[in-house]
Amino acid sequence: MTTGGDTGPSGPEGRDRQDDRPDQPSEAGPPDRPGPPAAPARTPRLPMLLDAVLNVGSEVELASTLQHVVDSAADLTEARYGALALAGPAHGRGRSRIAELFSVGLSEDERRRITRLPTGHTGLLGHPGSTLSLGVPVRVNNDVLGHLCLARKRHGPFTEEDLALLRVLASQAGIAIGNARLYGTARQRERWIEGAAAVTTALLSGESAADALNTLAKAARILAGAAAGVVLQPTDEGGMEIVAASALDDPGDIVGTSIAPGSPVLVQLLGGEPVYIDDSSTDPRMTTHVRSRFGPSMMLPLQSGGRLIGTLALPRKRGGRPYTPVDRMLATQFASQAALALVLADAQHNRERLAVFEDRDRIARDLHDLVVQRLFATEMMLESTRRRTGEGELADLLGHAVDELDSTIQEVRTTIFALQQPPADAPTGLRGKVLRETAGAAVLLGFQPSVHFTGAVDTLVRDELHTGLLAALRGALAAAHRRAGVTSIEVEVDATARLPGDRDGVRLVVSDDGDGDGSDGGSAVVWEAEL
């Protein structure tokens, strides 16, 4: 088969050689024999062509449209075989494999044997015995996407009129493919826009930072048709680390993977340039241990205001469909909007936390400046009255009232310390909880207590012991704040303490240098529990 061009069917681009055709009747015979049978009378082909074009334009699905083109071409030219082959990605020496094939007259076995586009010298796609064939390219704009081919005309050779008809139908196929591409691009763009809007809404709805990044990774993976969606963030050492991942398989071994500082990919990303990779498993720029499972990939910088806040990577499986220019453009636009949404979500989260902190600080100040001071003044008045009454039942009642007020003041002070703690993202380990309590107490104390840990406190101390230890710590800090002359506090948590009976235990000791009953004038609070 050859490709139809500007020459006629007898030229090199119109049709193949007609000689040595075994099933063609001879055009010259003995004089006493009749000539070849004449072709039956045919319906005028112009109405048939117009009808075919109208039918092509009325089809909705591209596949049915292209099949109709092949059927119409074979009917109009009386060809036994017809095929419309669309090219896939180039392989080997630039030869393209067939991505889609629409045919008439070919058996399933013959269709399976067709793997490459025609070269123009082997008949209809190498079909056995098809030495008489006709073919024209199918173009969209100036790009040749495939060929429309015919072979073995039933009556005589292909003509100039056949070639003209085939060119008309090939142009219709090109128009249909072009329209389908435009529609597909529009739908794809619509999906990316909807996805970006959904991600923005989710990020601004108050999700935590980790949930926000996971939401971004999952949405991008689904939109791109990728095997995984990965978010990386810069590390203190100058590299990048995967902090969130969404994959069809378990992404557990993906999170935590790092790109070393100075790698070529990192240089591009830190410069704000996207990185497009044809095959992650073989590209020398890819150095992570998970690259072997992936093929085509996009790595898109997440930046806002000239600042790189991360990278969105979208790898497909090995051997997967390459990303098209449209895919790259839409994903890049999505990454830009997602980066802006991340910045806005982080700013909103910080504003909300600040508002909560300010409100809690106000409540703590009110409690300290108004409630505690009034309670303390009332306690002093009652204590003075008790001393003047001397001994007796009234003195005992006043003493009891003073003790109750003292206990109430201590509880209020403990509440004030608790209000100074961050309202969210609380640590889960005992070490973090103790440091959180002492940091909150430093706001009212005016100095930071010294904290020491002995042993693996996060591992050895059970969760159910945390509440008691922290309550004792709050009470000791509140009591220290109440005493005069306190300028330093030491907090010791020992997870290797030996309790009476040679039992394993945890011991909390809170000591200060204020006026108290200690030998050095200070005070100490001890709390213990068996592990």
Side-chain angles (χ1 to χ4, degrees), residues 190-433:
E190 182 181 349
R191 287 193 297 270
W192 278 97
I193 292 174
E194 291 175 350
V199 167
T200 301
T201 301
L203 296 183
L204 297 179
S205 64
E207 287 187 337
S208 66
D211 291 340
L213 295 178
N214 286 324
T215 297
L216 172 60
K218 181 178 180 180
R221 173 183 64 81
I222 294 173
L223 289 169
V230 175
V231 177
L232 302 92
Q233 289 186 327
T235 63
D236 296 336
E237 295 76 19
M240 272 200 172
E241 180 182 358
I242 296 177
V243 296
S246 171
L248 298 174
D249 303 321
D250 181 16
D253 63 336
I254 299 179
V255 176
T257 301
S258 298
I259 300 178
S263 66
V265 166
L266 198 57
V267 171
Q268 283 186 252
L269 292 173
L270 292 176
E273 299 179 18
V275 178
Y276 303 113
I277 297 170
D278 294 329
D279 189 351
S280 299
S281 62
T282 59
D283 195 303
R285 294 175 295 174
M286 302 299 289
T287 58
T288 61
H289 71 278
V290 297
R291 69 188 183 104
S292 59
R293 73 179 71 170
F294 298 121
S297 181
M298 293 187 289
M299 302 184 72
L300 310 170
L302 298 171
Q303 53 186 354
S304 179
R307 181 173 65 94
L308 183 69
I309 61 176
T311 295
L312 175 63
L314 298 170
R316 284 177 171 167
K317 290 184 177 179
R318 293 189 64 179
R321 177 172 55 87
Y323 285 108
T324 66
V326 173
D327 293 333
R328 295 178 178 182
M329 176 192 68
L330 295 176
T332 300
Q333 293 174 350
F334 174 87
S336 298
Q337 184 166 346
L340 178 60
L342 284 172
V343 172
L344 292 176
D346 186 56
Q348 175 177 292
H349 185 59
N350 289 337
R351 286 195 301 270
E352 292 174 351
R353 288 172 59 88
L354 180 60
V356 172
F357 285 151
E358 290 176 346
D359 196 39
R360 291 162 71 100
D361 286 343
R362 180 187 57 79
I363 296 173
R365 285 195 303 270
D366 290 345
L367 286 174
H368 182 267
D369 297 340
L370 300 177
V371 178
V372 172
Q373 296 300 332
R374 290 180 180 178
L375 289 174
F376 187 73
T378 302
E379 179 186 8
M380 292 298 99
M381 287 190 297
L382 290 176
E383 177 65 19
S384 176
T385 303
R386 183 181 68 81
R387 290 175 179 174
R388 287 198 299 269
T389 58
E391 301 295 332
E393 183 178 356
L394 180 58
D396 293 339
L397 290 174
L398 289 173
H400 180 68
V402 169
D403 293 339
E404 287 295 322
L405 280 175
D406 185 67
S407 177
T408 301
I409 291 172
Q410 183 172 339
E411 290 295 329
V412 173
R413 290 184 184 275
T414 301
T415 303
I416 292 173
F417 284 126
L419 286 172
Q420 299 295 333
Q421 312 307 316
D425 299 332
T428 57
L430 180 59
R431 180 187 298 268
K433 292 177 180 179

Side-chain angles (χ1 to χ4, degrees), residues 3 17 25 42 49 60 87 110 120-121 124 156 205 214 217 310 323 350 362 392 421 425 427 512 530-531:
T3 301
R17 300 187 308 273
R42 294 204 55 191
L49 176 62
V60 177
E110 290 168 335
H121 303 286
L124 173 58
S205 64
N214 286 324
Y323 285 108
N350 289 337
R362 180 187 57 79
Q421 312 307 316
D425 299 332
D512 62 72
E530 184 177 0
L531 294 177

Side-chain angles (χ1 to χ4, degrees), residues 13-222:
E13 295 185 351
R15 58 191 178 196
D16 285 343
R17 300 187 308 273
Q18 302 179 35
D19 53 342
D20 301 327
R21 171 81 186 279
D23 56 349
Q24 284 290 317
S26 174
E27 295 185 359
D32 56 345
R33 297 197 178 189
R42 294 204 55 191
T43 305
R45 292 200 286 182
L46 182 57
M48 294 178 61
L49 176 62
L50 293 175
D51 184 61
V53 170
L54 291 174
N55 286 334
V56 167
S58 65
E59 296 286 353
V60 177
E61 295 293 334
L62 179 61
S64 60
T65 298
L66 299 182
Q67 184 61 52
H68 189 80
V69 167
V70 179
D71 294 340
S72 299
D75 289 341
L76 286 169
T77 61
E78 294 186 308
R80 295 182 182 180
Y81 306 107
L84 195 163
L86 299 181
H91 293 266
R93 299 174 181 174
R95 297 187 63 187
S96 296
R97 294 184 178 274
I98 292 177
E100 293 183 89
L101 178 65
F102 305 89
S103 66
V104 59
L106 298 177
S107 66
E108 286 300 320
D109 182 61
E110 290 168 335
R111 285 174 55 87
R112 282 193 297 270
R113 293 203 302 266
I114 299 172
T115 58
R116 294 186 181 275
L117 288 179
T119 63
H121 303 286
T122 58
L124 173 58
L125 304 176
H127 184 271
S130 60
T131 56
L132 182 61
S133 60
L134 191 67
V136 294
V138 176
R139 290 187 172 93
V140 175
N141 298 324
N142 294 323
D143 298 328
V144 177
L145 301 185
H147 286 80
L148 176 59
C149 316
L150 299 173
R152 300 187 62 125
K153 185 170 181 176
R154 289 184 174 86
H155 301 286
F158 288 108
T159 66
E160 291 283 354
E161 186 180 3
D162 293 329
L163 182 59
L165 292 172
L166 199 61
R167 285 172 174 163
V168 171
L169 291 173
S171 69
Q172 290 297 308
I175 291 172
I177 295 172
N179 290 339
R181 280 186 167 186
L182 291 174
Y183 177 76
T185 300
R187 286 289 300 124
Q188 189 179 7
R189 184 187 300 273
E190 182 181 349
R191 287 193 297 270
W192 278 97
I193 292 174
E194 291 175 350
V199 167
T200 301
T201 301
L203 296 183
L204 297 179
S205 64
E207 287 187 337
S208 66
D211 291 340
L213 295 178
N214 286 324
T215 297
L216 172 60
K218 181 178 180 180
R221 173 183 64 81
I222 294 173

